[in-house]
Amino acid sequence: MPAADLPLPFALPPALPLLPPDRGPDAAVPHLILPYAAAENAPAVATPQLDALLAWLAEVRHDGAEYDFPIPPHERAVAEVFGLDARVPAWAAVDAPVDAAPHVPHAWLTPCHLHAGADQVRLDDPAQLQLTLADAQALCAILAPWWAEDGLTLQVLTPLLWRVSGAPLAGLRTASLDRVLLRDASLWLPQTQPFQRLHSEAQMLLYNHPFNDAREARGLPPVNGFWLHGAGVLTQAPTPASTPAQCAAPRHITFVDSLRQTALRQDWAAWQQAWQQADAGPVAALLAHVRAGGQATLTLCGEAQALHFKRARSALLQRFQGLFNRKTFNHVRNQL
């Protein structure tokens, strides 16, 4: 059975065809975001379309953070488009129901298997759990009464993405799922109550529970924990400028998630293939758009840093400079 996709904390509309550059100043400026364009231990890749595109663009900003900063650069880039605080994006609060309680904090919950070793707690790939929607709903029914005692409600949206809501989430700092996948998660486990207790209770409750007994009988790993991420509260009720469907679409976001999926699993052969497809697909389309006179934004992300590029104000000047100081992806990847 092929691995399921790892959940994204945000939703983006399907990629739309690029508009002709002559649609006027109100036409959406396409913005291409390439997560994990470079990563530790990743092999070299040939990117002829990207190299040609960089000759037309000028670097406008460098977004830097520590390697272990809880929010990776690709999430920070998308959060800026959504109008969220890029350092603590409240992903789960976007599009959450606000009629009854507009200022209640929310967080995402992803069921997981935490592997406790001698000196670390590794968060295994949640997709390997092969949870179905029915499995997730059954698991939610087991956990929900315990969470309700602390004023927290659980809602299953997809098997690997549930929404948690309740006042105890206020001020909780969480790390992105991408930061801890297949790595030591112990530094980012909640150290505050009630979440530290809920982690312990979940482990005890699910240990030898019939839910997990049935899973192990099917050869599936047990669920013994959860990961909270995307926590926060919106400072105001969602508006057309802060909801994903209405905020991302006008900026014409294209997010190449295949690079993220393969890099997080360290499947470098698949990552190289994802790069080839990205270079021949959305990168080539953006290059054609720019060559036709269109404006564009490009964001290249690594594990800690991101580089933001825009079409140079003077394309002729930019191309002239490019002839003598030509920038290629191989030149900038070490900055990511």
Side-chain angles (χ1 to χ4, degrees), residues 203-248:
Q203 289 180 329
M204 292 186 292
L205 183 63
L206 295 173
Y207 183 71
N208 286 339
H209 191 281
F211 175 84
N212 274 329
D213 290 343
R215 290 181 54 79
E216 294 190 66
R218 292 154 50 199
L220 296 173
V223 179
N224 66 357
F226 56 86
W227 193 257
L228 293 176
H229 52 113
V233 61
L234 297 181
T235 56
Q236 59 185 11
T239 66
S242 63
T243 57
Q246 294 173 324
C247 172

Side-chain angles (χ1 to χ4, degrees), residues 269-284:
W271 179 82
Q272 285 180 304
Q273 184 178 13
W275 242 125
Q276 292 171 356
Q277 294 171 345
D279 197 57
V283 175

Side-chain angles (χ1 to χ4, degrees), residues 9 89-94 96 104-110 147 152-155 157 161-166 168-170 172-174 195 226-233:
W91 292 123
V94 178
V104 169
H106 305 274
W108 292 135
L109 180 151
T110 296
W147 291 66
L152 294 159
T153 61
L154 300 179
Q155 178 190 12
L157 301 183
L161 204 63
W162 308 5
R163 181 180 282 121
V164 185
S165 306
L169 290 162
L172 181 68
R173 298 293 296 270
T174 55
F195 303 102
F226 56 86
W227 193 257
L228 293 176
H229 52 113
V233 61

Side-chain angles (χ1 to χ4, degrees), residues 51-52 54-59 310-328 331:
D51 292 345
L54 287 173
W56 290 83
L57 304 179
E59 182 181 334
K310 287 185 180 293
R311 169 78 181 268
R313 288 188 177 182
S314 169
L316 181 62
L317 175 61
Q318 178 65 21
R319 293 200 69 193
F320 178 78
Q321 292 174 338
L323 291 174
F324 299 96
N325 187 26
R326 189 172 181 84
K327 218 177 337 188
T328 66
H331 293 141

Side-chain angles (χ1 to χ4, degrees), residues 40-54:
E40 186 179 4
N41 300 323
V45 289
T47 56
Q49 301 299 315
L50 178 58
D51 292 345
L53 176 61
L54 287 173

Side-chain angles (χ1 to χ4, degrees), residues 72-106:
H74 56 276
E75 284 190 30
R76 300 198 298 265
V78 178
E80 290 175 357
V81 177
F82 281 17
L84 301 177
D85 184 342
R87 299 181 70 81
V88 284
W91 292 123
V94 178
D95 277 357
V98 297
D99 294 340
H103 300 298
V104 169
H106 305 274

